[in-house]
Amino acid sequence: MARFLISAAHKSSGKTVVSTGLAAALTGQGDVVQCFKKGPDYIDPMWLAAASGRPCYNLDFNTMPAAEFTTLMCDRASGADIAMIEANKGLFDGVKLDGSDANAALAKVTKTPVILVIDTNGMTRGIAPLLIGYQGFDTDVDIAGVILNKVGGPRHEGKLRAAVQVYTDIPVIGAVGRNPALDIGERHLGLTTPTETNHLDSKIAQIAEIIGGQVDLDQVRAIAVTAPVLDAALALAVEPVFKGLRIAIARDRAFGFYYADDLDAFTALGAELVPFNALTDTALPDADGLFLGGGFPETQMEGLAANTALRAEIKQALAAGMPCYAECGGLMYLCRSLGWNDQSYPMCDVVAADAVMCKRPQGRGYVEYTTAPAHPWGPRNGQTKAHEFHYARLDNLAADTVFGRDLTRGAGIDGSHDAIVTDNVLAGFCHQRHTRENPWVKRFLGFVQRCKNR
């Protein structure tokens, strides 16, 4: 499998724009590109998926053993010409001091050559000691190329190229100039999502044209083919034991945070995911269960509130016993109300609390929890790892609230607990990931099947 990893010296270096442009440019030239993203992230994979025309999959040390990385990569990249991994933050950044969960560790585990995207704003000759330091810090990492980003002009580019050429042995494979056309916007949770971007296809085409014209794609391919063969265990066969189950899933401008392999797991296990739009559909599709993922309900709260027919139907269906799993934005949608910027709108009134958006994150980072006895579908023992990133808090929480998770790390809903349980609903701030260690999709579908049988 030809492959490369895009990383940087620090976050906000322009990795995602460059990665999106490379994926789209290579695809436009006829390559089948399979993208991966390091860490827990929803938004960057949306851009990479839109650029490549294929789902993007996450590689996360927190929720996956390293051996699972290579299995996932080989399985999902089957049939692709080239695989690209986009790192998060800087090459040597991670939670652990020993670097065992850093992007560099991922490059080593997957035996993938690295292309560094360097934000050159305010930099000339200083790029050389930066690159030399990165090479010397861990000589087992193959830094195979550098892309100069946010270059100020031909004179600036010339100085940068000369410094890299004279002092290092790393080839410069591209120089991307400062260009407002490459701006895809940021907000409180990161980059603007593709679903919020007007004229998405033309935007990606424009990014591809710029990046493809300023980066040598043949050199990118040449670096990718130097990656050695990966030894990976075969993906486990999955039986479609829940064939016939239908799960309604919100897919729209408000709700879009879903991991591609979680959705794959629903399908592999036999369930049919039936999408609906919480902003425009006035009724739920015919389904046995409901899945409300994360997203940006706060940016769409007026539209969500205006859809009174759907909100009433969801409340009625869940009160009647329909199983539901909701994460973060989905939890906020199920609350009595959602408030932001001094405005408040009614929501589904399933969870006895009011969601309020804050100016600062209320929970951010990795989470660990054990499931409480009230959790409707387990597991019943051991630690589960997840992540959270929410600016919302819950106010006026009912005194008799029942929680399904006891936190040992993270903020959750009240600092100690997460996942409100009411009827057959489980709604919390934690984002789960379906892996061998945490097959949550299978557990949820098992619960849906038991409810249906009753």
Side-chain angles (χ1 to χ4, degrees), residues 237-444:
V238 179
E239 294 294 324
V241 292
F242 299 108
K243 194 169 184 177
L245 285 186
R246 289 167 57 87
I247 307 297
I249 180 172
R251 303 295 299 268
D252 47 52
R253 291 172 72 92
F255 304 106
F257 288 0
Y258 300 101
Y259 284 126
D261 39 349
D262 286 13
L263 303 184
D264 289 350
F266 277 96
T267 302
L269 287 162
E272 180 184 358
L273 289 170
V274 188
F276 69 95
N277 189 315
L279 294 161
T280 60
D281 291 337
T282 56
L284 285 174
D286 179 27
D288 305 298
L290 175 61
F291 181 19
L292 298 169
F296 298 108
E298 66 274 14
T299 68
Q300 308 296 323
M301 58 187 186
E302 184 176 3
L304 292 171
N307 194 349
T308 56
L310 181 63
R311 290 193 291 111
E313 178 163 327
I314 288 175
K315 181 176 180 177
Q316 182 179 6
L318 300 190
M322 174 182 274
C324 172
Y325 176 52
E327 287 186 346
C328 201
L331 162 66
M332 295 156 64
Y333 181 51
L334 292 182
C335 287
R336 275 187 304 256
S337 67
L338 172 55
W340 189 35
N341 291 337
D342 298 323
Q343 291 184 307
S344 179
Y345 290 89
M347 293 290 118
C348 292
D349 195 21
V350 172
V351 171
D354 300 294
V356 179
M357 287 293 292
C358 304
K359 293 183 179 180
R360 301 180 64 85
Q362 301 300 292
R364 183 176 186 174
Y366 291 138
V367 173
E368 294 185 14
Y369 63 82
T370 56
T371 51
H375 194 295
W377 33 276
R380 296 297 176 215
N381 50 48
Q383 290 273 344
T384 298
K385 294 181 178 181
H387 67 95
E388 62 181 341
F389 189 5
H390 56 98
Y391 281 69
R393 67 173 191 265
L394 298 191
D395 286 352
N396 307 314
L397 196 63
D400 59 352
T401 297
V402 176
F403 294 101
R405 297 172 182 150
D406 296 323
L407 298 182
T408 54
R409 175 178 179 170
I413 290 173
D414 67 354
S416 301
H417 307 92
D418 191 55
I420 292 171
V421 180
T422 178
D423 297 315
N424 290 326
V425 177
L426 183 76
F429 278 123
C430 294
H431 294 283
Q432 294 196 93
R433 176 89 184 281
H434 183 87
T435 63
R436 293 180 188 177
E437 293 184 353
N438 180 31
W440 77 262
V441 173
K442 185 174 183 179
R443 292 173 178 142
F444 174 57

Side-chain angles (χ1 to χ4, degrees), residues 70-88:
T70 52
T71 297
L72 180 65
M73 286 182 64
C74 290
D75 184 66
R76 297 307 194 270
S78 177
D81 298 307
I82 191 168
M84 178 181 69
I85 307 170
E86 186 200 341
N88 63 343

